[in-house]
Amino acid sequence: MKKTVFYALMMPALLLGTVSCTDYQDDIDKLTAENDALRSYNNQTISRLNSVVFQTVNGENKITVDQPNAATLVYEVQPNELAPTLAADISRLTFVTQNGGALAITAATADATNGTLTITATPSGFDGSKAQSASLVYTENSRSYQTAYSPVYVVTRPTALDIEIATTSSGKYAVGEKYQLKAVFTPTYTTEKEVTWSVDDTTLATIDANGVLTPVKNGTVVITCTSKANTAVTSSISIEITGGNIPLNEGGVSQGGAE
């Protein structure tokens, strides 16, 4: 056989062998990269986390926010020794919320002995009229660990209030009787509902801390209700007191007071 013919027959085989070896090397490189990535992941904090759970306060699993005051939130980390690692770089920690609102993390500390992660965050934009919840996220090398959502309790102070009192058939209130007054808040989802009650003349009537009015003698008395959470929010009504028994209107109809 001529040399030229022999070389012509061998070339396809050699080329085929070259392609085959290249394919094998690609597979080896791919497996090596995957193995390196797996080894890297196994060395990451996120791969070693078993759990990060919001710590209950007095048995209640809720985050309380009083905007714009900073909130302190405590999480239990397992295993314990990873808590300081989570606290070391707060840029890796973020909160995600539902129905609006934000918690901006400003500081984090940890206790490796107890496995606690304590986060300081500033709340903003939470609407107390909606159900709110938040979840803590730890991110590391494009991977993340997210906690379960915890309900958020939004502290809401009143912006206005009215006084409600049952009306009588004559519009007057009798000496010797007792009448229950009620504070009606704006917004309706106000959470801070403690108030103080007072009358302008205690010789005409008295009122206790629960809003129970007792007329003492005939005259006109002004009753005032003031929010403890926001003392600028107050309301007053004026009623006339007379002697004798005056029946309440049937059905307990009430009237709002004017500030």
Side-chain angles (χ1 to χ4, degrees):
M1 181 181 296
K2 293 182 178 181
K3 290 184 178 180
T4 55
V5 175
F6 175 77
Y7 289 143
L9 291 173
M10 288 297 295
M11 283 302 292
L14 291 172
L15 290 173
L16 179 62
T18 302
V19 172
S20 178
C21 289
T22 302
D23 288 343
Y24 282 137
Q25 187 59 50
D26 288 344
D27 289 340
I28 291 171
D29 292 343
K30 183 178 179 181
L31 289 172
T32 300
E34 290 176 350
N35 188 56
D36 290 343
L38 181 61
R39 185 182 298 109
S40 174
Y41 175 71
N42 288 336
N43 290 331
Q44 291 174 21
T45 300
I46 198 167
S47 68
R48 298 160 57 202
L49 278 172
N50 292 331
S51 65
V52 181
V53 180
F54 178 69
Q55 189 177 77
T56 60
V57 179
N58 298 323
E60 296 186 5
N61 182 31
K62 65 182 181 182
I63 297 171
T64 299
V65 297
D66 184 2
Q67 304 171 108
N69 300 317
T72 300
L73 313 174
V74 180
Y75 288 82
E76 297 173 352
V77 179
Q78 290 294 331
N80 293 3
E81 64 269 16
L82 292 182
T85 304
L86 300 187
D89 184 358
I90 62 172
S91 68
R92 295 180 182 270
L93 296 169
T94 55
F95 278 101
V96 291
T97 62
Q98 295 176 328
N99 288 330
L103 284 164
I105 298 174
T106 57
T109 59
D111 183 337
T113 302
N114 297 319
T116 55
L117 171 67
T118 302
I119 295 174
T120 303
T122 302
S124 62
F126 285 97
D127 183 349
S129 67
K130 301 176 181 178
Q132 302 282 355
S133 60
S135 169
L136 179 66
V137 179
Y138 174 76
T139 303
E140 183 181 46
N141 297 332
S142 300
R143 293 184 172 90
S144 61
Y145 179 98
Q146 184 170 352
T147 69
Y149 277 90
S150 297
V152 175
Y153 176 81
V154 183
V155 175
T156 307
R157 293 173 178 79
T159 57
L161 64 82
D162 286 317
I163 297 173
E164 191 174 84
I165 183 173
T167 60
T168 65
S169 58
S170 67
K172 299 179 181 180
Y173 295 83
V175 171
E177 297 294 325
K178 291 184 181 295
Y179 303 94
Q180 178 66 63
L181 281 71
K182 178 184 177 182
V184 181
F185 298 93
T186 300
T188 56
Y189 51 87
T190 293
T191 61
E192 309 306 287
K193 295 184 176 181
E194 290 190 81
V195 296
T196 56
W197 294 95
S198 63
V199 293
D200 67 335
D201 189 341
T202 55
T203 65
L204 298 180
T206 61
I207 190 166
D208 67 15
N210 297 314
V212 177
L213 178 76
T214 304
V216 176
K217 67 179 183 180
N218 293 1
T220 299
V221 66
V222 176
I223 305 164
T224 300
C225 180
T226 303
S227 165
K228 286 186 177 182
N230 184 359
T231 55
V233 173
T234 184
S235 181
S236 298
I237 59 171
S238 177
I239 65 167
E240 187 176 352
I241 299 170
T242 187
N245 294 323
I246 300 174
L248 291 174
N249 284 339
E250 293 184 2
V253 179
S254 301
Q255 62 185 12
E259 188 172 334

